[in-house]
Amino acid sequence: MELKGLKPLFSQKAIQEITKRLAEELIREYRDKNPVFVGVLKGSFIFFADLIRELKLPLEIDFIRVASYGRDTVSSGKVSILKDVELPIKGRHVLIVEDIVDTGITLKVIYNHLKEKKPASIKICALIDKRERKKIEIDLDFVGFVVEKGFIVGYGLDYDERYRYLPEIYTLEEAP
Ligand code: IMP
Ligand code: MG
């Protein structure tokens, strides 16, 4: 798709291939574990839906939502939980499914929050790892794409709530 101000980054085909590869890794890890996959709203919703449909294994799903950037594109460093998981995850194998990791602050907060509920294990799957502004070293167990920098939209990811519906991934030409 040609869109003003957006530069194509990853095609639908590339996304599909990456999702399949991640699914294979996850099947190896979670076969026989009946895990709980926790999607981080809103950004991960499309990736999450595509990913779980590639995983032919028993699992349960839940969602968590944290305060987002709003109009700002730089993480404020303050993150609060707006919506918690609803399933009891004590003793369960938990996978956090995130769209993109930038500074790492959001994921760290979610990770620590879920850890307090005493799951049997807790791992992270991120579609995109953005390297440039990493402030917190956090282990990403399953990673799709790695990008150096830029502001990325489409396939669930937004800039000020725009572009989530795009089936491909783009970079904003003028970084906000
Ligand atoms: P972090 O706390 O800096 O790692 O920011 C992570 C959150 O910020 C993600 O869950 C996204 O919602 C949002 N975010 C970070 N970078 C981008 C981007 O390039 N495009 C869209 N959203 C982003
Ligand atoms: Mg997000």
Side-chain angles (χ1 to χ4, degrees):
M1 222 187 286
E2 281 277 343
L3 286 150
K4 202 162 168 277
L6 301 185
K7 206 167 101 205
L9 184 61
F10 302 120
S11 65
Q12 276 181 284
K13 188 161 172 279
I15 297 168
Q16 227 170 50
E17 281 167 11
I18 284 284
T19 308
K20 285 210 166 104
R21 195 256 291 156
L22 285 172
E24 280 164 23
E25 290 176 31
L26 292 171
I27 288 166
R28 248 174 275 138
E29 175 72 30
Y30 291 108
R31 192 186 294 140
D32 308 322
K33 286 190 178 157
N34 188 27
V36 180
F37 280 20
V38 177
V40 182
L41 294 172
K42 303 179 201 172
S44 75
F45 81 113
I46 295 179
F47 171 52
F48 191 81
D50 283 346
L51 184 68
I52 60 171
R53 283 178 292 178
E54 290 293 337
L55 290 161
K56 281 129 196 127
L57 55 85
L59 57 87
E60 292 171 23
I61 66 163
D62 208 337
F63 294 97
I64 194 164
R65 177 148 158 71
V66 295
S68 73
Y69 283 0
R71 294 189 84 86
D72 200 354
T73 56
V74 181
S75 192
S76 63
K78 288 191 209 101
V79 181
S80 54
I81 310 282
L82 296 180
K83 185 224 162 291
D84 204 351
V85 289
E86 290 160 35
L87 293 174
I89 59 166
K90 188 172 180 202
R92 303 290 302 271
H93 293 280
V94 170
L95 181 77
I96 303 170
V97 180
E98 176 62 306
D99 54 354
I100 184 164
V101 187
D102 187 11
T103 62
I105 293 168
T106 306
L107 258 187
K108 195 74 200 174
V109 169
I110 294 172
Y111 186 93
N112 289 342
H113 173 78
L114 294 179
K115 200 149 189 228
E116 276 180 26
K117 298 176 190 278
K118 310 243 183 315
S121 72
I122 174 161
K123 295 199 175 199
I124 300 169
C125 173
L127 176 63
I128 304 170
D129 180 15
K130 191 160 74 178
R131 290 280 160 84
E132 188 190 46
R133 292 197 295 214
K134 199 67 77 265
K135 287 213 179 80
I136 293 178
E137 271 320 310
I138 181 156
D139 260 341
L140 302 177
D141 305 277
F142 308 92
V143 177
F145 301 107
V146 174
V147 300
E148 231 10 79
K149 57 183 181 186
F151 200 80
I152 292 153
V153 297
Y155 197 64
L157 288 96
D158 75 308
Y159 169 55
D160 196 17
E161 293 303 324
R162 293 154 69 191
Y163 310 123
R164 288 196 201 275
Y165 59 91
L166 297 173
E168 311 85 11
I169 296 176
Y170 297 83
T171 318
L172 279 192
E173 247 150 22
E174 279 174 52

